[in-house]
Amino acid sequence: MNRSRTPVAVALGAVLALLALLVLAGCSVGSSDDAMGGESMAETMDGTVEGADMGAPEMADEAAGGGMDSSSAFLSDGDMADGDVAVQDRAADVVDAASAEEGAQQASIISTGTVSLRADDVGDARFEVQKVVDRVGGQVTDSETRTDDDGAVRTARLVLRVPSAEFTETMDALEKVADLEASSTTSEDVTTQVVDTNVRIRVQRQSIARIEQLLDRAGSIRDIVAVERQLTDREARLNSLLRQQAYLADQTSLSTITVHLQRHRVDEPGQTEPEDDDGFLAGLSAGWAALGTVAVGLATVAGALLPFLGVALVLGLPGWLLVRGAVRRRRTEGPAEPAGPAGPSAGEPLLEG
């Protein structure tokens, strides 16, 4: 009886061993597939980052390829065809939109100018510059002034921001504010850069939306970490593009003009005294100037003494009147002079001896 059970036990053991081998083989294959899937996704996500630095058509192609490969990591074989067609359609839409936008985009020009002026009164010239800026709807973003020892404005520097459509008119008006010494303008066409930045922003936003979808479908820690890393990189690139877009919009909508104001030089014609100090006219001018100086000095002395004269009259006049009255009374009430010896009368003879 023991001999009849021996072949059955051997057969049963062989079957169990075969099943164990099959189970171990299936586990190893599953783990290999998961590892390969994670590595494939990581490589795919790394590859799509390079598309952020490409132009509009290249970015659309890269977006189509990257989206298809990344989606294939989570989609089944039956959904891959529909996903590929949808991604390719989005890429074609991006290219068509970029081409249409570039064709319809108006010229984006960054204009800057510099004006140097000289005037007898820098303060008045600065006020006239402010009037020009207010008329065109601009603003003064920076201002710097310097004064001399007397407090008068000697130099001024103004940085103006005016609408780009009024740039030429503003330059012409500023050149007429005072005596023009120098004027220069520069213009830079950034239309292509504006269009390219707008398309990059659009593609980055679509890429972020796709990565967020992949993040929802991620089933392993490795996939989640890879997707979040790429999402962070894409968001940083999008923020950088948005800052660049804002800068271009500011520079193309408002032009910058720098105005320098200075007083006329002392040695300019009409600003100096006659150089000839000899001759009749020079002497007459010098004498007249000296007379004016003396007159001014006397007037100054008179003005300084006038308060004291008033006080002297108020206090001295009553005192003088009292002294004068006392002197008169003394002369009136004084003793009479004694009479001398009476002389002989007319009828009496003179005595001799």
Side-chain angles (χ1 to χ4, degrees):
M1 185 173 180
N2 293 334
R3 292 181 181 178
S4 62
R5 291 182 179 179
T6 301
V8 176
V10 173
L12 183 59
V15 171
L16 293 176
L18 181 60
L19 290 176
L21 291 175
L22 291 176
V23 171
L24 292 176
C27 293
S28 62
V29 171
S31 61
S32 299
D33 292 340
D34 293 339
M36 291 179 63
E39 294 176 358
S40 176
M41 179 182 177
E43 294 175 357
T44 301
M45 298 296 293
D46 292 338
T48 55
V49 177
E50 299 176 357
D53 295 331
M54 301 180 182
E58 292 82 354
M59 288 181 67
D61 295 340
E62 182 66 18
M68 180 178 61
D69 294 340
S70 300
S71 299
S72 63
F74 301 105
L75 295 177
S76 62
D77 295 338
D79 297 333
M80 286 184 63
D82 295 337
D84 295 345
V85 173
V87 172
Q88 291 175 0
D89 290 341
R90 287 196 300 269
D93 293 340
V94 170
V95 174
D96 293 340
S99 301
E101 183 176 355
E102 187 172 3
Q105 175 73 29
Q106 296 180 353
S108 298
I109 307 297
I110 297 178
S111 301
T112 58
T114 302
V115 180
S116 297
L117 303 171
R118 286 191 178 275
D120 295 333
D121 192 333
V122 177
D124 290 344
R126 188 181 185 279
F127 180 73
E128 293 297 326
V129 171
Q130 183 67 55
K131 289 172 59 178
V132 172
V133 175
D134 294 339
R135 186 170 64 250
V136 299
Q139 59 182 348
V140 179
T141 59
D142 190 12
S143 177
E144 179 183 358
T145 58
R146 295 182 180 180
T147 59
D148 55 14
D149 296 337
D150 297 331
V153 180
R154 180 166 54 91
T155 61
R157 177 180 176 272
L158 304 169
V159 178
L160 316 178
R161 299 299 306 278
V162 299
S164 298
E166 308 294 337
F167 175 73
T168 303
E169 178 184 352
T170 305
M171 288 292 295
D172 294 338
L174 291 174
E175 292 173 356
K176 299 176 183 178
V177 167
D179 296 336
L180 179 63
E181 188 173 62
S183 177
S184 63
T185 60
T186 58
S187 298
E188 180 183 0
D189 190 350
V190 293
T191 305
T192 303
Q193 188 174 357
V194 170
V195 173
D196 184 68
T197 302
N198 294 337
V199 174
R200 286 171 180 265
I201 290 174
R202 188 178 307 159
V203 173
Q204 285 292 336
R205 284 174 174 169
Q206 293 178 357
S207 177
I208 290 175
R210 290 195 303 272
I211 293 177
E212 289 176 347
Q213 293 177 358
L214 294 178
L215 183 60
D216 295 336
R217 300 180 184 180
S220 64
I221 300 299
R222 182 187 181 90
D223 293 343
I224 293 175
V225 172
V227 172
E228 288 182 344
R229 179 168 59 86
Q230 298 305 323
L231 182 60
T232 302
D233 294 341
R234 294 298 177 90
E235 289 177 345
R237 291 176 182 272
L238 177 60
N239 292 332
S240 177
L241 290 172
L242 290 175
R243 288 193 296 269
Q244 183 178 359
Q245 184 186 49
Y247 171 78
L248 292 173
D250 176 72
Q251 293 298 314
T252 54
S253 61
L254 295 175
S255 300
T256 303
I257 302 176
T258 304
V259 180
H260 299 277
L261 294 171
Q262 293 181 337
R263 282 192 307 194
H264 283 294
R265 296 188 181 92
V266 178
D267 56 351
E268 290 184 358
Q271 302 297 324
T272 59
E273 298 294 333
E275 297 180 359
D276 189 6
D277 294 337
D278 300 330
F280 175 77
L281 294 178
L284 179 61
S285 177
W288 186 260
L291 178 61
T293 302
V294 172
V296 171
L298 293 177
T300 303
V301 173
L305 294 178
L306 185 60
F308 296 97
L309 292 177
V311 174
L313 289 175
V314 171
L315 299 179
L317 182 60
W320 179 74
L321 293 176
L322 292 175
V323 172
R324 183 179 178 184
V327 171
R328 286 183 177 181
R329 288 194 298 271
R330 183 177 298 177
R331 289 179 179 178
T332 303
E333 298 176 356
E337 295 181 359
S345 61
E348 293 179 358
L350 297 174
L351 297 178
E352 297 182 357

